[in-house]
């Protein structure tokens, strides 16, 4: 039986992981530690809180005494570390938070783990660190996808902070023998994703008849991974991965940003123009007036340091741990779109006046 501490479990990927794990391993115990910053939402975990095997703790990964208390009190033997500042645009305008949370916060967790596990002689533990493909930098149009051997070349403060945290995790394995694993994933999408990210932002802006500003030509390419395919990969790494190893998790779904936006426009046009009830719920959307939402697309000046292409080679995970993604982008995006239509109350609560202003001033990329 595992006793898990999931950091950042009220965020997008963390909350999905909690539900995935509770459903697959009902005998295990999960404690979520989350600071509930702007992207952490405790309502993401309302269903989980009905489960007696689940507990939520409002706190910060920078609080080492709190982390140590949780590790001891709940007999934690597995840490799954999602907590991070993760939005590139925010890191460009305010990098300090990214350095503090992503680097210092990760180091605080590592110090607590060493003290409670290694210094007490406990060997049955695992520290799994969630990272990103952005640590590898950018690819040219004909370059082979990133592998675990690709040299790090981060181009944004966010990517640099994640690269530094990866190195710290690896160092604690090599120096002290902490049982660590790292996963570098491609772009996630799915339920509960905060509306500053590309896919939910496009969906919501279309429904509210807001512009869809696209950086540059919009041909920046990303490898898209449905969130529960990510969770399947993390599950395999925790259960079967070799301590000290890094595993790339990808969806084998390379799409240009502009193509994703066009696809979402088509899907929403299809749904609203064919469903009077939905059109009545979202009367401002062009699709409700039988107009394709593509009319909202605007091309704007590209952002600084914008990586042109990411692509993940998940061959090691596939060959050694028998991983395979269950969703194509076409199936995953339909699931995601349906979730946003079925959970309007969830995302509408996030759209206060200040946040609406933020959406209108920021670009998609």
């Amino acid at each position: 039986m595992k006793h898990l501490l999931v950091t950042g479990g009220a965020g997008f990927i963390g909350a999905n992981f909690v539900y995935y794990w509770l459903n697959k391993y009902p005998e295990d115990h999960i404690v979520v530690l989350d600071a509930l910053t702007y992207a952490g939402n405790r309502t993401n975990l309302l269903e989980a809180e009905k489960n007696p095997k689940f507990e939520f703790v409002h706190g910060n990964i920078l609080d080492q005494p709190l982390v140590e208390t949780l590790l001891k009190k709940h007999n934690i033997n597995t840490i799954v570390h999602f907590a991070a500042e993760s939005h590139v645009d925010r890191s460009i305008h305010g990098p300090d938070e990214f350095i503090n949370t992503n680097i210092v916060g990760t180091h605080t967790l590592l110090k607590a783990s060493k003290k409670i596990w290694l210094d007490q002689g406990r060997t049955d533990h695992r520290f799994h660190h969630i990272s990103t493909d952005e640590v590898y930098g950018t690819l040219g149009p004909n370059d082979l996808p990133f592998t675990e051997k690709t040299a790090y070349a981060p181009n944004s403060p966010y990517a640099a902070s994640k690269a530094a945290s990866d190195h710290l995790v690896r160092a604690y394995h090599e120096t002290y023998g902490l049982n660590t694993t790292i996963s570098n994933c491609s772009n996630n999408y799915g339920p509960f994703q905060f509306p500053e990210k590309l896919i939910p932002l496009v969906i919501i802006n279309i429904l509210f008849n807001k512009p869809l500003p696209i950086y540059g030509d919009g041909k920046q390419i990303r490898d898209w991974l449905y969130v529960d395919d990510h969770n399947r990969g993390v599950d395999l790494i925790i259960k079967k991965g070799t301590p000290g190893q890094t595993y790339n998790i990808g969806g084998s779904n390379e799409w240009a940003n502009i193509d994703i936006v066009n696809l979402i426009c088509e899907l929403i046009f299809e749904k609203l123009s064919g469903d009077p009830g939905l059109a009545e719920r979202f009367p401002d959307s062009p699709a409700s007036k039988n107009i394709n939402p593509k009319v909202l697309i605007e091309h704007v000046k590209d952002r600084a340091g914008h990586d042109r292409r990411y692509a993940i080679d998940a061959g090691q995970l596939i060959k050694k741990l028998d991983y395979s993604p269950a969703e194509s982008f076409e199936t995953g995006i339909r699931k995601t779109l349906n979730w946003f239509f079925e959970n309007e109350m969830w995302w509408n609560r996030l759209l206060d006046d200040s946040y609406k202003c933020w959406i209108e001033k920021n670009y998609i990329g």
Side-chain angles (χ1 to χ4, degrees):
M1 180 185 297
K2 290 194 179 299
H3 297 257
L4 288 81
L5 176 65
V6 179
T7 70
F12 159 48
I13 306 177
N16 279 282
F17 177 82
V18 166
Y19 288 116
Y20 169 90
W21 200 275
L22 287 174
N23 288 332
K24 188 169 182 181
Y25 303 107
E27 297 305 311
D28 288 354
H29 295 255
I30 292 181
V31 178
V32 162
L33 175 63
D34 200 294
L36 297 180
T37 56
Y38 78 96
N41 188 343
R42 189 166 178 176
T43 61
N44 292 355
L45 299 169
L46 285 177
E47 290 303 311
E49 298 210 49
K50 299 175 184 177
N51 190 320
K53 298 296 182 71
F54 174 85
E55 182 172 333
F56 178 84
V57 176
H58 183 194
N60 200 303
I61 59 172
L62 291 157
D63 186 345
Q64 185 172 338
L66 172 61
V67 175
E68 292 175 6
T69 296
L70 294 176
L71 294 179
K72 291 185 288 187
K73 177 182 176 182
H74 297 280
N75 193 29
I76 300 295
N77 54 25
T78 304
I79 292 175
V80 190
H81 178 33
F82 290 98
E85 298 287 346
S86 66
H87 194 246
V88 174
D89 282 353
R90 288 180 183 267
S91 80
I92 292 170
H93 298 294
D96 289 5
E97 286 184 65
F98 289 73
I99 304 304
N100 203 35
T101 298
N102 298 354
I103 301 177
V104 181
T106 298
H107 189 219
T108 301
L109 289 172
L110 289 165
K111 288 190 293 181
S113 301
K114 176 182 178 295
K115 181 176 178 180
I116 302 303
W117 289 340
L118 291 183
D119 294 355
Q120 303 301 319
R122 185 168 185 175
T123 59
D124 62 330
H125 64 265
R126 175 63 62 91
F127 186 111
H128 182 71
H129 175 61
I130 308 296
S131 190
T132 172
D133 55 2
E134 296 192 40
V135 299
Y136 298 123
T138 188
L139 291 169
N142 300 314
D143 290 343
L144 293 175
F146 301 128
T147 73
E148 292 83 356
K149 301 298 184 182
T150 301
Y152 278 25
N155 290 321
S156 69
Y158 161 62
S161 69
K162 291 299 289 185
S165 64
D166 291 2
H167 291 319
L168 283 168
V169 173
R170 182 181 184 278
Y172 264 70
H173 172 76
E174 295 294 332
T175 302
Y176 304 113
L178 195 69
N179 291 333
T180 66
T181 43
I182 299 170
S183 56
N184 295 89
C185 68
S186 53
N187 279 34
N188 278 221
Y189 67 99
F192 299 114
Q193 189 166 30
F194 195 72
E196 69 183 357
K197 300 293 187 176
L198 173 63
I199 288 173
L201 184 56
V202 171
I203 294 170
I204 292 170
N205 277 18
I206 290 173
L207 296 179
F208 282 104
N209 193 31
K210 300 295 183 184
L212 305 179
I214 306 298
Y215 279 132
D217 60 8
K219 294 182 180 179
Q220 303 87 358
I221 293 173
R222 303 293 183 258
D223 178 11
W224 291 90
L225 178 67
Y226 188 68
V227 65
D228 269 348
D229 282 332
H230 182 187
N231 291 330
R232 291 184 187 95
V234 172
D235 181 3
L236 288 169
I237 295 166
I238 291 172
K239 295 285 185 174
K240 298 162 53 176
T242 302
Q245 291 296 305
T246 293
Y247 297 87
N248 284 347
I249 308 177
S252 299
N253 283 308
E254 287 190 55
W255 282 71
N257 286 345
I258 188 64
D259 293 335
I260 289 178
V261 175
N262 281 325
L263 176 61
I264 295 173
C265 286
E266 294 289 353
L267 292 175
I268 292 181
F269 179 70
E270 174 188 306
K271 287 183 76 71
L272 269 64
S273 62
D275 187 333
L278 277 180
E280 186 176 344
R281 280 172 57 193
F282 303 105
D284 294 332
S285 176
S288 300
K289 304 176 179 70
N290 208 33
I291 299 171
N292 195 303
K294 291 179 183 180
V295 299
L296 300 174
I297 293 174
E298 298 178 357
H299 290 268
V300 299
K301 183 180 178 181
D302 209 348
R303 76 180 177 206
H306 200 176
D307 292 331
R308 192 66 175 171
R309 173 175 170 244
Y310 306 138
I312 282 285
D313 180 348
Q316 178 180 222
L317 190 63
I318 293 167
K319 293 172 186 174
K320 294 185 178 179
L321 302 186
D322 199 28
Y323 170 78
S324 61
E327 303 292 342
S328 67
F329 187 74
E330 291 85 347
T331 62
I333 196 64
R334 287 184 181 274
K335 283 187 174 182
T336 301
L337 189 58
N338 288 337
W339 187 89
F340 272 84
F341 275 109
E342 292 165 4
N343 292 272
E344 180 185 355
M345 186 178 296
W346 177 85
W347 53 261
N348 207 27
R349 289 189 309 101
L350 301 177
L351 303 183
D352 59 19
D353 290 341
S354 61
Y355 187 72
K356 285 179 181 176
C357 290
W358 188 89
I359 279 184
E360 290 170 1
K361 292 178 181 178
N362 282 266
Y363 301 143
I364 295 172

